[in-house]
């Protein structure tokens, strides 16, 4: 069977203040700002991409920072926690780092035999660090965090579901995921080669409140596919399954289709190519504002209205 879904591609979240968002993810988390562009549907708002050195699929966390945006609320029908992986030897380093930066955290806890800690960013976005030596991806060596302690990319995303059965059916029957674990109402699935960056946890949450979108809320989760061809195949299969799938959207760095899974969470299928080096070399990623072609004639106005970003 042809591989259509490899695992996670990116997670996109709403945020408040732009500079605080940049500071949190580049300074505290040690991610690289790999692309500075705008919301294709609202060019007066940044779209910021963070990841590893090249912004590889499975490492990319993106944000729409809207400024004075009220906080959202975690609950069912939402991706509530995005987990990154880090080496086991980095547990003390990260606990010390969070304490030094006055970031409250909970844990360490155990889940599926792995140790993790849980905390939030400045807007309340749920983050976890899972400590594992199974992830061999290189971390981003930014001079602030030793490479041997740096995060490697995503480990897992957690989907809180009121009635998980139809979501599980979608993941296993259409999106090529396999159940690999079950623990206290949490069902873990993996796709592609498996391992960190390819896990999806479906958490049965019958007593949770319904989520409200706002700052700190995940807007959508994107899954990786190899090419335009594989994307069109999965598009056809989803449409045949009764899902309302958008036409293909050109996002400059990947092509995308979107649909809502049965629990209401927005899913995206994103192609791996062309990647973030398509319009600037790897060594310069994230240094200049990149606009989609339709907005280039308005560059001066857009740049004048966007807040200035500084990197520490």
């Amino acid at each position: 069977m042809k591989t259509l879904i490899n695992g996670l591609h990116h997670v996109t979240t709403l945020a408040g203040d732009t500079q605080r968002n940049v500071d949190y993810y580049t300074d505290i988390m040690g991610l690289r700002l790999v692309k500075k562009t705008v919301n294709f549907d609202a060019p007066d708002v940044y779209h910021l991409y963070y990841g590893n050195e090249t912004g590889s699929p499975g490492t990319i966390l993106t944000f729409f920072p809207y400024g004075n945006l009220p906080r959202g609320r975690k609950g069912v029908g939402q991706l509530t926690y995005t987990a990154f992986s880090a080496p086991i030897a980095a547990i003390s380093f990260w606990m010390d780092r969070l304490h030094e930066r006055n970031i409250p955290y909970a844990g360490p806890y155990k889940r599926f035999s792995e140790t993790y800690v849980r905390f939030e960013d400045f807007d309340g976005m749920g983050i976890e660090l899972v400590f594992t030596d199974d992830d061999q991806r290189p971390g981003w060596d930014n001079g602030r965090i030793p490479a041997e302690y740096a995060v490697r990319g995503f480990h897992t995303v957690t989907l809180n579901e009121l009635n998980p059965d139809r979501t599980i059916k979608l993941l296993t029957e259409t999106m090529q995921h396999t159940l690999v674990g079950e623990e206290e109402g949490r069902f873990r699935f993996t796709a592609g080669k498996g391992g960190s960056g390819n896990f999806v946890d479906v958490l049965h949450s019958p007593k949770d409140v319904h989520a409200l979108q706002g700052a700190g809320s995940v807007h959508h989760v994107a899954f990786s596919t190899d090419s335009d061809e594989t994307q069109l195949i999965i598009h056809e299969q989803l449409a045949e399954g009764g899902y309302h799938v958008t036409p293909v959207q050109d996002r400059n760095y990947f092509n995308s289709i979107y649909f809502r899974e049965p629990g209401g969470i927005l899913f995206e299928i994103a192609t791996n190519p062309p990647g973030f080096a398509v319009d600037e070399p790897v060594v310069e990623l994230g240094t200049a504002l990149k606009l989609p072609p339709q907005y280039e004639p308005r560059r001066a106005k857009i740049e004048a209205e966007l807040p200035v970003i500084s990197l520490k």
Side-chain angles (χ1 to χ4, degrees):
M1 182 173 63
K2 190 176 185 68
T3 299
L4 303 177
I5 302 295
N6 302 311
L8 298 171
H9 188 280
H10 67 268
V11 172
T12 294
T13 304
L14 306 180
D17 183 77
T18 301
Q19 187 62 55
R20 277 165 58 90
N21 183 263
V22 171
D23 291 345
Y24 193 94
Y25 287 97
T26 60
D27 183 37
I28 295 173
M29 294 297 295
L31 303 180
R32 185 181 190 188
L33 178 62
V34 295
K35 193 62 61 179
K36 183 168 57 173
T37 183
V38 294
N39 184 332
F40 281 22
D41 301 314
D44 57 332
V45 176
Y46 277 117
H47 194 177
L48 304 177
Y49 293 75
Y50 306 95
N52 65 0
E53 182 179 10
T54 59
S56 302
T59 74
I60 311 160
L61 183 61
T62 95
F63 288 88
F64 298 127
Y66 280 93
N68 188 24
L69 182 68
R71 274 198 178 197
R73 181 178 72 190
K74 295 182 182 66
V76 295
Q78 186 187 67
L79 192 167
T80 51
Y81 284 91
T82 300
F84 292 87
S85 67
I88 291 174
I91 293 175
S92 295
F93 172 86
W94 277 102
M95 291 172 66
D96 290 344
R97 183 173 183 81
L98 294 171
H99 178 73
E100 290 167 1
R101 299 303 180 93
N102 296 313
I103 307 294
Y105 66 88
Y109 302 123
K110 284 282 188 180
R111 185 172 64 212
F112 294 119
S113 301
E114 294 174 324
T115 300
Y116 72 99
V117 295
R118 172 177 284 185
F119 50 102
E120 296 181 342
D121 73 4
F122 293 140
D123 290 309
M125 179 194 167
I127 305 171
E128 294 174 342
L129 279 177
V130 178
F131 299 98
T132 174
D133 288 337
D134 293 336
D135 191 348
Q136 298 303 308
R137 295 174 294 177
W140 165 235
D141 187 357
N142 65 355
R144 297 186 186 91
I145 297 174
E148 63 268 28
Y149 296 151
V151 298
R152 290 353 193 186
F154 294 140
H155 181 275
T156 324
V157 294
T158 296
L159 313 180
N160 284 52
E161 301 283 1
L162 186 63
N163 299 300
D165 291 351
R166 291 176 61 205
T167 300
I168 289 172
K169 182 178 180 180
L170 167 66
L171 287 171
T172 56
E173 294 186 4
T174 306
M175 295 182 64
Q176 298 183 324
H177 283 67
T178 302
L179 179 66
V180 293
E182 180 181 349
E183 185 176 285
E184 298 180 351
R186 180 183 292 267
F187 302 86
R188 173 160 292 180
F189 301 88
T190 193
K193 297 178 181 178
S196 295
N198 302 313
F199 290 128
V200 175
D201 285 3
V202 176
L203 182 61
H204 186 205
S205 306
K207 296 181 181 180
D208 280 4
V209 297
H210 285 274
L212 291 177
Q213 199 165 82
S217 298
V218 170
H219 185 270
H220 64 266
V221 55
F223 296 84
S224 156
T225 194
D226 285 330
S227 65
D228 293 336
E229 177 192 6
T230 55
Q231 186 180 66
L232 290 176
I233 294 171
I234 192 70
H235 186 287
E236 181 178 344
Q237 292 183 1
L238 288 164
E240 289 175 352
Y243 291 93
H244 299 288
V245 193
T246 67
V248 175
Q249 310 290 311
D250 181 355
R251 300 308 192 193
N252 280 19
Y253 312 108
F254 42 85
N255 288 330
S256 301
I257 58 175
Y258 302 86
F259 64 101
R260 289 200 181 273
E261 57 85 29
I265 299 170
L266 186 60
F267 277 11
E268 174 184 349
I269 310 295
T271 59
N272 288 346
F276 294 106
V278 68
D279 58 3
E280 58 186 339
V282 170
V283 295
E284 297 177 9
L285 287 177
T287 58
L289 178 65
K290 298 297 179 180
L291 297 178
Q294 66 267 32
Y295 294 134
E296 277 296 346
R298 297 166 53 188
R299 173 175 284 274
K301 184 175 186 297
I302 289 171
E303 286 187 325
E305 293 178 349
L306 289 170
V308 176
I309 291 174
S310 62
L311 293 174
K312 292 184 178 180

